[in-house]
Amino acid sequence: MNEATASLKESVGRYGVWSVQLRAEDPEGAAERAEAAAELERLGYGALWLGGNSAARHAAPLIRATERIVVGTSIQSIWEHKPSEAAAGFAELEVSHPGRFVLGLGVSHGPRVEGYRRPYSTMVGHLDELDRAGMRSGHRVLAALGPKMLDLSRDRAAGAIPYLVTPEHTAQARERLGEGPLLAPEFKVVLDADPSRARATARAYLAMYLKLPNYTKNFLNLGFTDDDVTGGGSDRLIDAVFAWGDEATIRARIDAFHAAGADHVALQLVTDDMARLPREGWRRLAALLA
């Protein structure tokens, strides 16, 4: 494990927040996003992971509003961002706020990218260009699900940030990566103890992901069936990729990722209104993790 990777693992800690809302660009919400980031830092989270094909410019205001928390992209699509621009964005933040920004990269999904082709080879080429632009591997992570991309996360990056996975996937990923690289899976949480209501909230959110073959293929590889990934997702699938229930149950579900080999878990709160910052939920989550 190189020095940069070791530093990143220490900086992000055990828990972070994954959020699309914090990546938003509307000027009216900028002050609240900055305030929320500062509060998340005070609550003890080690990292903020910005969804929605994010970039350094989305991370910069949150970094300026905080003192230590790491902000990462989860993920930046390699189809929509030039390596030279990504490297320049990283370099600017590294000069002003060293060690505070990590570039999370991914190959996105065929249904979302025109001309989608050879995702692994394209990622290799993208990393080659980042190297030539002077961006070191210890400051980037990959959204890896399958073996080849996990190998690339180990050999050409600081580690992996798998999305929409289970502890079983985490155990397999850790075996593939070895002990050195960062392994920081994302995990969804519904703060609701009512089974019907919690599963309905989860199922409504999961629906868009079940249209993406990268995820459904990964579920099948993990032992789920076609029946599990159709019709909005079976209860078995919902209960595997979301934590819901009382506080002890949710804590145990999160702990299972660490037991499986995760260094850090990026927690995404799923609510019935995903347009709003779930600030009270983040507070409740921090309390149960304390």
Side-chain angles (χ1 to χ4, degrees):
M1 178 169 53
N2 63 41
E3 184 177 341
T5 300
S7 177
L8 177 60
K9 290 175 76 168
E10 181 178 0
S11 296
V12 300
R14 289 173 64 80
Y15 307 108
V17 163
W18 195 103
S19 172
V20 172
Q21 301 97 321
L22 286 171
R23 173 239 185 263
E25 300 182 66
D26 61 294
E28 295 81 7
E32 186 185 11
R33 291 192 296 273
E35 182 182 285
E39 182 182 20
L40 290 167
E41 182 174 76
R42 292 193 300 271
L43 288 170
Y45 295 104
L48 306 177
W49 299 97
L50 307 183
N53 190 19
S54 47
R57 64 188 175 85
H58 301 108
L62 306 179
I63 291 173
R64 289 194 295 266
T66 53
E67 296 180 358
R68 58 159 183 82
I69 202 165
V70 174
V71 184
T73 56
S74 182
I75 51 80
Q76 182 176 116
S77 171
I78 64 171
W79 307 98
E80 298 185 39
H81 295 266
K82 295 179 179 179
S84 58
E85 295 172 353
F90 167 79
E92 183 176 349
L93 282 175
E94 185 65 8
V95 168
S96 59
H97 298 86
R100 298 285 308 283
F101 177 64
V102 58
L103 182 64
L105 298 167
V107 298
S108 190
H109 304 273
R112 293 183 173 179
V113 176
E114 185 177 353
Y116 193 83
R117 68 201 181 282
R118 297 168 58 87
Y120 176 80
S121 298
T122 303
M123 176 62 85
V124 170
H126 197 89
L127 296 176
D128 290 342
E129 290 295 322
L130 287 174
D131 288 346
R132 283 191 279 272
M135 186 186 179
R136 296 167 293 172
S137 62
H139 297 282
R140 63 196 187 209
V141 289
L142 306 185
L145 292 177
K148 291 176 66 178
M149 202 64 74
L150 284 166
D151 288 349
L152 208 56
S153 302
R154 178 194 64 214
D155 300 337
R156 301 287 307 277
I161 49 170
Y163 187 87
L164 195 58
V165 293
T166 64
E168 291 75 18
H169 181 275
T170 295
Q172 294 172 16
R174 175 51 74 197
E175 183 176 1
R176 193 94 191 181
L177 291 172
E179 289 302 313
L182 174 73
L183 179 54
E186 176 270 351
F187 188 41
K188 296 172 177 57
V189 177
V190 179
L191 292 173
D192 195 333
D194 179 87
S196 297
R197 194 169 56 223
R199 286 179 177 137
T201 298
R203 189 167 280 115
Y205 192 61
L206 184 64
M208 60 180 170
Y209 294 109
L210 294 181
K211 299 175 182 178
L212 302 174
N214 289 4
Y215 292 129
T216 54
K217 179 182 177 182
N218 192 53
F219 289 145
L220 296 177
N221 288 340
L222 289 169
F224 294 97
T225 68
D226 288 334
D227 289 339
D228 288 315
V229 300
T230 56
S234 67
D235 284 355
R236 177 188 176 214
L237 181 63
I238 294 293
D239 294 350
V241 297
F242 289 81
W244 60 267
D246 60 26
E247 291 186 355
T249 300
I250 291 172
R251 175 62 189 263
R253 294 294 316 286
I254 297 168
D255 287 347
F257 279 87
H258 285 115
D263 300 295
H264 172 94
V265 184
L267 298 164
Q268 179 180 184
L269 278 186
V270 175
T271 68
D272 291 327
D273 183 3
M274 293 298 290
R276 299 183 61 181
L277 294 171
R279 296 184 64 179
E280 178 56 34
W282 285 334
R283 295 174 194 132
R284 289 176 58 192
L285 192 56
L288 74 86
L289 293 172

